[in-house]
Amino acid sequence: MSTGFFNVPEPVNEPVLSYAPGSKEKKEIKAKLAELRGKQLDVPMYIGGEEIKTDRKLPMSPPHDHQHILGYFSEGDASHVEQAVNAALGAKDAWEEMAWEQRAAIFLKAADLIAGPYRAEINAATMLGQSKTVFQAEIDSACEIIDFLRFNVQYMTQIYSEQPQSAPGIWNRLEQRPLEGFVFAITPFNFTAIAGNLPAAPALMGNTVVWKPSYTQIYSARVLMEVFKEAGVPDGVINLIYVDGPVAGEVIFNHPDFAGLHFTGSTGVFQQLWKTIGNNIHKYKTYPRIVGETGGKDFVLAHKSADPQEVATGLIRGAFEFQGQKCSAASRAYIPANIWEDVKKYMLADLEEIKMGGPEDFTNFVTAVIDERSFDKIATYIDEAKASPLVEVVAGGNYDKSKGYFVEPTILKAEDNQYTTMCEEIFGPVLTVYVYDTEFFEEAIYMVNNTSPYALTGAIFSKDRYAIELATKKLKHAAGNFYINDKPTGAVVGQQPFGGSRASGTNDKAGSMLNLLRWVSPRTIKETFVPPTDYKYPFLGEE
Ligand code: NAD
């Protein structure tokens, strides 16, 4: 029982540590990387209060060093999905009855654990398991998840405090009930923070969750689960299973208590899941909430007034950090002819300097892509481009998977603005540039808007305010996150709530109040203090 209207600590964005030579954090993470490399983990599933291991052990390896084995995880089957659903439903009553400030305290504690004692471990796990540089790990697996957890607690209290008016003699109240059933969180490989937020956000709002991560993110998912447990998330509230997607889907999407899907991943998978849910709609007790943030084909549009150096830096960072494996990565650029040669010169100069290799060597800016399937897919796009008379390979174009899945940062220049790599999501370090006639800015805007089905992120570079205004208006629906004179990546919780529309997702903006609203179902309560005792309204009297 709450006996006070509590204020929660005011969230501020977690400071990004520098990992500069000689820094305390650099020493700590180097030691943690060596420690984790020196042992093999046996990672269980976490269902209810149990840690479950199976005979089917699958290896986990660094993408930049695929012969090394970091450990094994236990793959589960349909019986484990059923067990996880039962654990979630079993934990539900107690969890949703728990006072909100207790739930808040648990997730605030989780944030502090990651900010402090678990910081090196979660970053090292993300560096080794997903091949992120220390900086990419720090902004993801430390800062972003900490921000999600702290800001969401504040958004929760804002949601709860939003109350209706009351006329004289009555009291209207609004309560935000958790969904009636369990939530299924399906998470991608590319952000540890998203993997943590997708189960944590519905759980914070009083729901219980079955969480299925990507197999290539399990190495850091384990750390998140350890944090949740230490922070006090009760058994059964978040259940972590390693089961093939369709096997898990078969159980969950046929379950009458399935109440919501919190998904981040590719557009094709999301559309498939939506169809399945639609086909099964008659089986559910409630209409499931469907939240999905999916693919992108994110653009950079430069105006003739843009500074070529600024454009080049935005493209190098936007396209090649984390090997272009961000949903927000710049992957198509529209550059006017008057500045193209300079933009190209600056990008080539940067690429001369940029080193590629494993993230344990801090001098590397580019590391490996996530797995062989992804490597082969990217290599196919590059080979096709090399063979096409419509494409010039401006930089890169080489790849090698002998030790790790390394693809050189590659810049293609397409003569056809509808060339495949201008339209399709590649999810690798490949940027395609279309050089347009300097005076055809409006035509370039039209191309940006009509080339791909996605609408996640995009950027305009310009010194001319009319051009900025025009692009901002005309590209209203082309991106859920729009940047002016900045790269299209690097959204920060509490500052640029993230999500796109069109084929890029439901745009429920992770890390905002809008997302949390999807995990509750409001109940309005009207109480009349002195109820009437006569049914007759005054109009019933004739004279
Ligand atoms: P993916 O679609 O391959 O996998 C995502 C998750 O879905 C994984 O856990 C996977 O195992 C699961 N899955 C796959 N098929 C399934 C099925 N039939 N049933 C149930 N689950 C299934 O995506 P990925 O390669 O892990 O991540 C990259 C994709 O995610 C890119 O398209 C990227 O744009 C997108 N992404 C989007 C955002 C965003 O906020 N919009 C953020 C990160 C990543």
Side-chain angles (χ1 to χ4, degrees), residues 184 186-191 194 212-215 243 245-246 249 253 263-267 269 272-273 293-296 326-327 373 425 427 456 498-500 504:
F184 187 21
I186 301 183
T187 59
F189 80 84
N190 66 337
F191 278 92
I194 296 177
K212 194 212 87 56
S214 164
Y215 280 8
V243 179
F253 298 131
F263 176 88
T264 297
S266 56
T267 297
V269 171
Q272 193 54 45
L273 302 184
E293 298 306 332
T294 70
K326 299 187 183 189
C327 45
R373 200 170 65 105
E425 185 181 50
F427 227 59
L456 191 49
F498 194 78
S504 290

Side-chain angles (χ1 to χ4, degrees), residues 12-311:
V12 285
N13 290 116
E14 177 67 12
V16 179
L17 300 183
S18 78
Y19 297 88
S23 62
K24 179 170 161 281
E25 63 269 18
K26 183 160 186 175
K27 274 193 210 93
E28 279 173 7
I29 198 141
K30 285 274 184 184
K32 189 55 85 174
L33 286 165
E35 180 197 323
L36 288 176
R37 253 209 182 255
K39 62 183 177 187
Q40 288 193 344
L41 301 179
D42 183 6
V43 178
M45 292 184 279
Y46 296 80
I47 303 178
E50 284 183 73
E51 296 188 2
I52 293 181
K53 294 183 181 167
T54 66
D55 294 338
R56 223 179 120 62
K57 307 258 186 230
L58 299 182
M60 296 174 291
S61 296
H64 51 278
D65 183 10
H66 49 56
Q67 293 308 303
H68 180 82
I69 294 188
L70 295 165
Y72 295 85
F73 68 87
S74 282
E75 190 182 45
D77 57 29
S79 71
H80 300 103
V81 187
E82 277 158 23
Q83 228 176 303
V85 170
N86 290 338
L89 292 174
K92 189 169 172 51
D93 285 352
W95 180 241
E96 75 171 59
E97 285 308 313
M98 186 185 273
W100 68 263
E101 72 272 14
Q102 308 297 338
R103 279 187 268 124
I106 289 172
F107 288 103
L108 289 172
K109 176 168 179 169
D112 277 18
L113 287 170
I114 297 172
Y118 280 87
R119 193 177 197 120
E121 180 155 4
I122 203 161
N123 281 341
T126 301
M127 291 171 73
L128 289 173
Q130 290 139 268
S131 268
K132 292 209 172 191
T133 62
V134 71
F135 178 71
Q136 292 300 315
E138 169 73 6
I139 58 173
D140 164 22
S141 48
C143 300
E144 190 173 13
I145 184 68
I146 293 166
D147 289 350
F148 274 138
L149 294 165
R150 291 184 180 148
F151 278 83
N152 278 348
V153 164
Q154 191 194 44
Y155 298 140
M156 172 177 72
T157 62
Q158 287 173 0
I159 289 172
Y160 288 165
S161 59
E162 187 62 35
Q163 292 295 319
Q165 294 190 338
S166 296
I170 60 170
W171 184 15
N172 294 320
R173 307 193 281 275
L174 194 65
E175 66 174 2
Q176 300 287 355
R177 304 166 300 179
L179 304 182
E180 212 180 353
F182 66 93
V183 172
F184 187 21
I186 301 183
T187 59
F189 80 84
N190 66 337
F191 278 92
T192 305
I194 296 177
N197 184 49
L198 265 51
L204 174 67
M205 302 309 288
N207 298 281
T208 56
V209 183
V210 176
W211 169 24
K212 194 212 87 56
S214 164
Y215 280 8
T216 41
Q217 189 266 324
I218 290 174
Y219 194 63
S220 58
R222 173 196 69 87
V223 187
L224 287 167
M225 200 63 200
E226 290 293 325
V227 168
F228 290 151
K229 281 165 72 79
E230 189 171 334
V233 174
D235 294 341
V237 170
I238 295 177
N239 303 278
L240 175 57
I241 55 168
Y242 318 131
V243 179
D244 186 42
V247 175
E250 181 61 24
V251 175
I252 288 180
F253 298 131
N254 280 301
H255 200 290
D257 291 303
F258 166 64
L261 171 66
H262 204 188
F263 176 88
T264 297
S266 56
T267 297
V269 171
F270 184 55
Q271 294 192 352
Q272 193 54 45
L273 302 184
W274 192 308
K275 276 186 206 156
T276 307
I277 295 167
N279 286 335
N280 290 342
I281 199 73
H282 57 286
K283 297 183 181 169
Y284 309 130
K285 291 181 186 159
T286 61
Y287 292 102
R289 298 285 167 91
I290 304 178
V291 173
E293 298 306 332
T294 70
K297 187 70 195 171
D298 310 298
F299 62 85
V300 169
L301 168 64
H303 181 253
K304 63 181 179 184
S305 63
D307 177 327
Q309 178 80 74
E310 290 173 6
V311 175

